[in-house]
């Protein structure tokens, strides 16, 4: 955060044989007058990545925020995949209890992403992914056994009862 009216610190005194530290030369900052009634504060500008090159999940994006008259700041934003679509699919089509647990983990990953907590987002994302794959495997197995049972029911058991 920049302080208005602050000046850079004075240069170090020169001593025998020591090099003076590098002092960047900033453009002089103008003192901003207080806002008059009806005026708006200066708006912040954001410079996002180039269009057509949207960042994918698991990648780090740089966002530069600048306010006129203040030095720009740079933030690193990371997005971890939350597997929410996969979780909803496994909830509806495969295994109801594991689907609920996967949705909860996906929501935790989304919340951690929103807070910028990459470590917790990765942990919740990995848990959601594991639960989703287990639910998918159980769901496929249940469908296969169900179809086999129906085929056996109508071809073996029913005809034997009716003789």
């Amino acid at each position: 955060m920049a302080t208005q009216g602050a000046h850079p610190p004075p240069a170090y005194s020169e001593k025998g044989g020591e090099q003076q530290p590098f002092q960047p030369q900033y453009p002089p900052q103008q003192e901003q007058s207080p806002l008059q009634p009806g005026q708006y504060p200066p708006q912040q500008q954001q410079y996002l990545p180039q269009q057509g090159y949207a960042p994918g999940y698991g990648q780090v994006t740089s966002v530069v925020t600048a306010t006129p008259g203040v030095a720009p700041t740079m933030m690193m934003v990371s997005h971890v995949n939350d597997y929410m679509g996969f979780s909803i699919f496994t909830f509806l089509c495969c295994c109801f209890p594991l689907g609920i647990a996967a949705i909860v983990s996906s929501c935790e990953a989304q919340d951690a992403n929103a807070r910028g907590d990459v470590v917790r987002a990765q942990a919740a994302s990995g848990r959601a992914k594991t639960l989703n794959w287990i639910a998918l495997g159980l769901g496929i197995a249940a469908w296969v056994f169900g179809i086999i049972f129906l085929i056996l029911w109508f071809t073996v058991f029913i005809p034997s009862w009716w003789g």
Side-chain angles (χ1 to χ4, degrees):
M1 188 157 124
T3 308
Q4 293 182 1
H7 300 286
Y12 290 47
S13 63
E14 210 175 301
K15 294 184 181 176
E18 292 182 10
Q19 292 183 344
Q20 232 177 0
F22 173 72
Q23 294 288 328
Q25 299 297 321
Y26 296 108
Q29 295 184 355
Q30 300 173 358
E31 299 261 344
Q32 294 182 351
S33 63
L35 296 175
Q36 301 298 323
Q39 286 184 328
Y40 294 104
Q43 299 294 317
Q44 289 189 346
Q45 300 172 354
Q46 288 191 351
Y47 302 97
L48 298 174
Q50 186 177 8
Q51 289 183 349
Y53 297 98
Y57 283 104
Q59 296 180 352
V60 176
T61 305
S62 299
V63 177
V64 179
T65 305
T67 302
V70 178
T73 58
M74 189 160 131
M75 299 184 308
M76 301 304 279
V77 180
S78 177
H79 298 282
V80 178
N81 194 350
D82 57 15
Y83 297 101
M84 182 58 82
F86 196 11
S87 298
I88 292 172
F89 173 76
T90 57
F91 169 73
L92 294 174
C93 300
C94 296
C95 184
F96 181 77
L98 287 178
I100 290 175
I103 288 174
V104 169
S105 293
S106 295
C107 289
E108 289 174 6
Q110 283 180 346
D111 292 342
N113 267 335
R115 285 190 316 266
D117 189 355
V118 177
V119 174
R120 288 194 182 176
Q122 288 174 340
S125 174
R127 190 170 49 250
K129 182 179 179 183
T130 302
L131 289 169
N132 281 323
W133 282 111
I134 292 171
L136 183 66
L138 290 174
I140 289 173
W143 278 101
V144 168
F145 287 128
I147 291 172
I148 290 172
F149 177 76
L150 285 175
I151 290 171
L152 289 175
W153 181 262
F154 287 110
T155 58
V156 175
F157 299 123
I158 298 263
S160 67
W161 286 349
W162 294 99

